[in-house]
Amino acid sequence: MGGKVMKTTKFKILSLLLCGFMLLSSVACSAGNTAGSATESGGGQKGGSELSGKVVFADQRDTTGAVQKSIESFQKENPGVTVDYQQLPGNSDDVKKSIMTSLAAGDSEPDVFSMDIIWVPQFASAGWLLDVTQDLEAVKDQYLEGPLSACYLNGKAYAFPNYTDVGLLYYRSDLVSTPPKTWDELVSMSKQHIGKDGIQYGFVYQAFQGEPIVCNSLEFIKQNGGKDLENGKFAFNSANTIEALKFMRSLIDQGITPEGVLSHKPDDSRAIFEDGKALFMRNWTYAYAPAQASAKVKGKVGVAALPVGPKGSDSSGTLGGWYFGVNKNSENKEAALALAKYLAGEVGQKDRTLKASTFPTLKATYDDPEVKSALPYLSDLRSAADKAKPRPQVPDYPASSSIMQVYLHKAMTGVMKYEDAMAEMTQKLDAAYASQKK
């Protein structure tokens, strides 16, 4: 009898202990699920209660309010974090100088900052950027391949994609039913329409001695099977490159392109096209909205990938755009990383796309019903953005670009023979690249 009571008592105690353990396990699992939900909805960062402190975010000026809206959403999900949003004055170069001054001094602020695509390799090589390879690799399949490629240097990721830009072929959709896919088709269609329906020029592009001639020339070169960098060496001194430059010049000599393009920037081409004088135009994505709103070509504008040359196989416009970087010396890396990922995630990209009409780098944004309704033309440009190619990803791109600007323009204006210009340019680029890697 006494043994029976003892056994019963032991059983009750064990039952109570088992129930208690199961209750604790249930609570723990519930808490874990809640944390997981917070992580997913917040764009990849930890739950809001786990992040705290101040994050200084430096950006170019945004007059649309898109970035501010995203920051407010981030702070609602992360109430312990205060974001000091600093909109820097001036143009892109001014913004770069301001950010570089702080980074070069080893300052811990700004914690997060916007970067033009061509700054990424330069800042990464200088050791200013936090290595975000693990974070980006976890979500890389969510981004367009073209913009994603510019986040990397020597196999490691140092940035998150923000919005993208790419060189495109604009055409008069009221006069051209199917845009040209080859250079020969571009020339043929141009000759058919010049002198009719107000068309004075077949094709306008930009060859101003600066970044315009670099971006435009790289497109012609790569669309003809040429390359910029190959196995750590510049590869411009090739038959495919020279053929591409000669074709660019031949468009001027045939009267298809005005000679003024040798001093034209994107807005110069846009003015000609919007005035109804050009059948085709190479320009960046920004040109679409104003063209569709212009009096003479409103509702008559189509966009397509740029045509390829006889030695080319794939069309690839020059890649542009902006990225988010995290300061390697930030004193609040966890919260800084969370903000960068959030702004580059679904909330940030949708806000900017809807308010600023920029082109997202996140695939899901192109499929968002609200975005598709507001900007139906985005779907036509997704493929071109995905296939876009970056400019040479070297530690000091501005130095390399300065060399390209001079020699490409000398070749196009006849100051130097194409072969001599490309041979000398390649030699100087290799020397500059070698010094940058030291």
Side-chain angles (χ1 to χ4, degrees), residues 120 124 131-133 136-137 149-159:
V120 178
D131 183 338
V132 298
T133 305
L136 187 60
E137 285 288 306
S149 66
C151 295
Y152 291 82
L153 181 68
N154 299 326
K156 293 184 178 180
Y158 294 96

Side-chain angles (χ1 to χ4, degrees), residues 416-428:
M416 291 182 73
K417 292 182 178 179
Y418 296 100
E419 293 80 2
D420 294 341
M422 290 304 97
E424 193 169 323
M425 183 178 85
T426 301
Q427 184 179 20
K428 287 185 176 293

Side-chain angles (χ1 to χ4, degrees), residues 39 82 114-115 126 139 209 225 227 233 281 306 321 330 332 334 351 366-367 382 385-386 390 393:
T39 300
T82 300
S114 290
M115 298 182 290
V139 295
Q209 187 177 321
K227 298 181 183 297
K233 294 281 187 179
M281 170 181 70
L306 291 161
S330 170
N332 195 0
E334 193 173 20
D351 285 344
Y366 286 88
D367 298 325
R382 175 174 172 170
D386 199 18
Q393 293 175 285

Side-chain angles (χ1 to χ4, degrees), residues 63-76:
T63 59
T64 68
V67 178
Q68 182 62 47
K69 183 175 184 295
S70 298
I71 289 174
E72 290 172 359
S73 297
F74 173 80
Q75 290 185 133
K76 285 180 181 178

Side-chain angles (χ1 to χ4, degrees), residues 159-180:
F160 294 100
N162 182 3
Y163 62 91
T164 193
D165 206 354
V166 60
L168 298 167
L169 179 72
Y170 289 78
Y171 64 95
R172 286 285 299 276
S173 58
D174 59 322
L175 302 176
V176 176
S177 57
T178 303

Side-chain angles (χ1 to χ4, degrees), residues 168-180 186 189-190 192-204 269-283 287-288 290-305:
L168 298 167
L169 179 72
Y170 289 78
Y171 64 95
R172 286 285 299 276
S173 58
D174 59 322
L175 302 176
V176 176
S177 57
T178 303
L186 176 76
M189 291 182 188
S190 295
Q192 289 175 21
H193 289 275
I194 291 175
K196 303 174 185 177
D197 301 306
I199 299 296
Q200 297 180 18
Y201 309 109
F203 181 51
V204 290
S269 297
R270 188 166 65 86
I272 295 172
F273 187 79
E274 290 179 6
D275 199 31
K277 296 178 180 178
L279 184 67
F280 300 110
M281 170 181 70
R282 179 274 174 202
N283 218 320
Y288 187 89
Q292 287 287 31
S294 62
K296 293 189 176 180
V297 298
K298 182 178 181 180
K300 305 173 183 178
V301 180
V303 287

Side-chain angles (χ1 to χ4, degrees), residues 196-217:
K196 303 174 185 177
D197 301 306
I199 299 296
Q200 297 180 18
Y201 309 109
F203 181 51
V204 290
Y205 59 86
Q206 306 91 46
F208 171 80
Q209 187 177 321
E211 205 58 25
I213 195 170
V214 173
C215 293
N216 281 247
S217 296

